[in-house]
Amino acid sequence: ITVSASICQHSCGLPPQPFRPIMVIKTEVCAFTEARIYPGHGIRFARRDGQLVTFATSKAKSMYHQRKKAPKLVWTYVWRRLNKKGLASATSKKRTRRTKKATRVYAAMSADAVAAKRKAGPRVTKSAGSKKAIAEAKARGKK
């Protein structure tokens, strides 16, 4: 299938659109909650030392003036960042290492002898009755 340059490649049949730059909006960060503040929003406060402090809401301003600690308030972005809530990078789980079993040396055996015995597998003792039942089952299977 050939597609001409004048038709959109998304199979909608429309002519291609010219490149439109994405509009960038300069946002500020709340001094208390670390929330984004968009233009025309927020409250500014001039401290005694002359530094301008910007708050997202009147609630944030009130808490700041009450000298509350933002990391202790669950609704602030500061608390969420410190407690790793809602992060985009949290999607991947942290890998844990598996512990390897060490071979213990027993009083009568060396580590090599223990490893050889473990490799040999479990020793199964069969009674005369169970041997007879197995032989009968095998005989039935052959018929």
Side-chain angles (χ1 to χ4, degrees):
I1 301 170
T2 57
V3 179
S4 64
S6 63
I7 298 173
C8 180
Q9 292 180 359
H10 301 293
S11 71
C12 60
L14 298 172
Q17 296 294 318
F19 173 72
R20 289 190 184 135
I22 299 168
M23 195 169 97
V24 179
I25 300 171
K26 190 178 181 200
T27 58
E28 291 186 55
V29 178
C30 176
F32 187 75
T33 63
E34 292 185 6
R36 278 182 169 180
I37 305 170
Y38 288 91
H41 295 270
I43 304 158
R44 290 205 174 200
F45 171 70
R47 292 195 327 200
R48 281 186 186 162
D49 60 357
Q51 187 178 0
L52 280 175
V53 181
T54 314
F55 301 107
T57 59
S58 59
K59 181 180 181 180
K61 179 185 156 202
S62 173
M63 292 291 164
Y64 176 83
H65 289 304
Q66 290 175 49
R67 298 192 178 200
K68 300 287 183 197
K69 289 180 173 60
K72 290 187 175 182
L73 298 171
V74 180
W75 57 272
T76 62
Y77 283 97
V78 182
W79 183 90
R80 293 186 67 78
R81 182 175 40 82
L82 291 172
N83 290 283
K84 298 181 176 87
K85 303 291 179 191
L87 299 173
S89 62
T91 54
S92 62
K93 274 192 169 183
K94 193 175 179 182
R95 293 181 119 192
T96 55
R97 285 188 179 178
R98 287 192 170 204
T99 54
K100 291 186 178 178
K101 223 175 191 184
T103 54
R104 292 191 187 104
V105 180
Y106 296 102
M109 286 194 265
S110 66
D112 298 330
V114 172
K117 197 160 195 176
R118 188 174 284 151
K119 209 173 201 179
R123 201 172 59 200
V124 180
T125 54
K126 295 177 185 170
S127 64
S130 64
K131 283 182 183 178
K132 198 175 194 181
I134 291 168
E136 286 177 13
K138 282 182 180 177
R140 270 188 258 129
K142 286 182 181 178
K143 287 182 182 177

